[in-house]
Amino acid sequence: EHLPAEVTERHKPRPLAAALRDARFPSNTNRKARSRLAFDELLQVQLGLALLKTGERKDRGVAHALAHGLVSRAFGSAGWAFSDAQEAAFDALRRDLRRSVPMERLLQGDVGSGKGAVVRAAMTLVAEGKGQVVFVANSPTEAEHQHVFAGEWFRSVGIEPLLLLGEPSRLEADALKKGETLVIYATRAILENPPEMRRVGLVIVEQAGGYCVPDLTPFERGQPRPDLLVTTPTPVPSMLAM
């Protein structure tokens, strides 16, 4: 038994040996074995994440000075309001964006839960502070879809998003280098060879079917490491199981 005595005495979990036996020879009258083993698995995941955080590199990140003028204007133009869950997710993102430690956060939720609105609000916060935001889609078609769908939102606050599916034109490259283009929609190719940009503050990577931490080193080039937000078009089944 690896749980401390004070935990077992307080919560009365199924003893580990008994849980293993019951899982091997299940009984219809006892479901505590599965709960105990599920708890152990989740506990190990959380302890592993805690160990990773204690040993993580202390990279220099971007501490964004956040204003909310453009976000409020965008919501007013669209006639939208956050749900409680969206507001909670947005608050967590704002806390991380203010820190000088680079953010590495996963945003996921069911289809139609409003992840896109949270993402666009975070993008607008960073862009208002003149930080450049790169949204990395899974395919050119998805990048085009996201660019078209978000266009009205950004144009309502005076931001013209750029769709970048290959090498930028001379005018596009100049605007990226000077920091005049603040919102960029692209494919995963940009993760390997991004164009020269003045100040990348946030990279959003859409992933389907799995979760990993993309390498943002190519975006640094002597600059602070950008914040990273990974989002999923649908929930990741393995994470929902836990």
Side-chain angles (χ1 to χ4, degrees), residues 198-238:
R198 182 178 180 182
R199 180 173 174 251
V200 182
L202 175 63
V203 177
I204 300 165
V205 179
E206 185 181 60
Q207 292 187 340
Y211 169 63
C212 66
V213 180
D215 181 17
L216 300 187
T217 304
F219 285 98
E220 294 182 46
R221 295 177 178 173
Q223 301 181 21
R225 178 178 288 265
D227 289 312
L228 172 65
L229 176 63
V230 176
T231 183
T232 60
T234 57
V236 179
S238 59

Side-chain angles (χ1 to χ4, degrees), residues 56-73:
E56 70 183 359
R57 288 171 22 192
K58 301 302 180 183
D59 292 309
R60 181 170 62 101
V62 181
H64 300 275
L66 302 182
H68 294 78
L70 295 187
V71 173
S72 298
R73 280 173 53 190

Side-chain angles (χ1 to χ4, degrees), residues 139-240:
S139 67
T141 301
E142 182 61 24
E144 291 181 18
H145 170 78
Q146 292 284 353
H147 177 260
V148 171
F149 189 78
E152 184 177 354
W153 166 284
F154 287 113
R155 293 187 190 100
S156 71
V157 295
I159 297 173
E160 183 63 40
L162 170 67
L163 177 64
L164 192 62
L165 299 181
E167 290 294 324
S169 67
R170 187 169 61 182
L171 289 177
E172 291 171 342
D174 187 57
L176 289 169
K177 186 176 181 179
K178 291 179 179 178
E180 296 171 354
T181 298
L182 296 173
V183 175
I184 303 98
Y185 285 88
T187 61
R188 303 185 78 84
I190 200 172
L191 293 174
E192 300 175 4
N193 186 29
E196 185 177 355
M197 288 182 269
R198 182 178 180 182
R199 180 173 174 251
V200 182
L202 175 63
V203 177
I204 300 165
V205 179
E206 185 181 60
Q207 292 187 340
Y211 169 63
C212 66
V213 180
D215 181 17
L216 300 187
T217 304
F219 285 98
E220 294 182 46
R221 295 177 178 173
Q223 301 181 21
R225 178 178 288 265
D227 289 312
L228 172 65
L229 176 63
V230 176
T231 183
T232 60
T234 57
V236 179
S238 59
M239 305 195 82
L240 286 182

Side-chain angles (χ1 to χ4, degrees), residues 104-147:
E104 288 184 355
R105 186 174 284 275
L106 171 69
L107 175 67
Q108 68 172 358
D110 207 348
V111 176
S113 60
K115 300 184 296 294
V118 176
V119 168
R120 286 190 292 277
M123 295 170 73
T124 306
L125 276 182
V126 174
E128 186 169 5
K130 301 306 177 184
Q132 291 169 297
V133 185
V134 179
F135 186 103
V136 182
N138 282 309
S139 67
T141 301
E142 182 61 24
E144 291 181 18
H145 170 78
Q146 292 284 353
H147 177 260

